[in-house]
Amino acid sequence: MQSGGLQGYPFEMNIHNFLCDSDGNATAKITFSGNDFCLSKKYILPSYLIECMGQVVEKCLSNSENSKKRYLARIDEFVINRDFKDFIGVTLTVIAKKIIKMGNLSRYCTEIYCENTKICSCVITHSLS
Amino acid sequence: MYTINQIYTMLPHRYPFLMVDRILSVEPEKKVVGLKNVTVNEPYFQGHFPDEPIMPGVMITEAMSQIGGFVFDIKNKRGYVVGIDKAKFVKPVIPGDTLIVEATFITRIGNMGKVKAVAKVDNTKVASAEITYSFKDLGK
């Protein structure tokens, strides 16, 4: 199982089928189980979906900046479709597109889909050190 | 001030996702100040990170969101976070810290509301964000 980075249980998201191109853009699949920590209550917190997107980005960054630590620096333009509620038993697709790398900051636009339904999106900035 | 027992009657969140321990002051539709103690026993520290416990930025955002919701003077409705913007994480938050979140009312239009939240430890800013909520009738 591929993981996002240095996180461990229960904060490591179940990322698989990770594909990254030479431009640093990536797609990945994420699945949840009813036994997952983040689904121990009925509804997943939006914060965990942001964490999913962030860990896929960190996986992209580890390909190119493996020797550096990666810290979440900013979240912008996060929006979520609250009508989508069925997270168990479905496969979610995370899409991460590199916007810019400037100095020790790296910014990605990320989205999560379930088939053709967009669940959420945001712009994530990481600091590398 | 709202103690944890009062917070239980006002927020549906429970362990392990309740990110507020006390509301210190509320000025409806103006400002709310809340508190969250950060302890090493919280479940996410086990994995974030195994060798260096740091409160995840998204959980700081969750604390800001839950405390920020108290600023709205709304009855019989539940607030859902639908947007987060300009969230910045300035300094790490670690076990032993006390997170104080000050959320200031920005606007409320119809069933949508927005706050600006600032999280501090020892009076030093550690994070901030603008959070947008959607309010729906309870039971819907």
Side-chain angles (χ1 to χ4, degrees), chain B residues 29-30 71-72 74 104-116 130-133 135:
Chain B
E29 308 283 300
K30 284 187 184 173
V71 85
F72 297 102
I74 290 181
T104 308
F105 177 91
I106 294 179
T107 186
R108 182 157 70 91
I109 300 172
N111 282 329
M112 305 284 287
K114 193 171 186 177
V115 303
K116 178 176 168 77
E130 290 184 4
I131 301 158
T132 303
Y133 305 81
F135 301 102

Side-chain angles (χ1 to χ4, degrees), chain B residues 109-126:
Chain B
I109 300 172
N111 282 329
M112 305 284 287
K114 193 171 186 177
V115 303
K116 178 176 168 77
V118 177
K120 295 181 180 178
V121 172
D122 291 331
N123 223 24
T124 300
K125 184 166 100 170
V126 296

Side-chain angles (χ1 to χ4, degrees), chain A residues 14-80:
Chain A
N14 186 25
I15 299 168
H16 51 97
N17 295 106
F18 176 82
L19 295 170
C20 187
D21 65 20
S22 56
D23 294 326
N25 304 316
T27 61
K29 303 293 184 187
I30 286 185
T31 51
F32 294 106
S33 157
N35 268 344
D36 269 319
F37 170 77
C38 56
L39 276 158
S40 50
K41 292 298 189 242
K42 190 175 176 186
Y43 297 122
I44 193 169
L45 287 178
S47 302
Y48 277 100
L49 296 175
I50 298 174
E51 183 66 22
C52 287
M53 293 187 280
Q55 289 191 15
V56 170
V57 171
E58 288 178 29
K59 183 72 178 160
C60 298
L61 293 172
S62 72
N63 282 354
S64 57
E65 311 276 354
N66 195 35
S67 61
K68 296 184 181 175
K69 286 194 172 181
R70 303 167 287 276
Y71 297 100
L72 180 63
R74 272 188 77 121
I75 301 166
D76 289 287
E77 301 170 35
F78 172 74
V79 289
I80 181 171

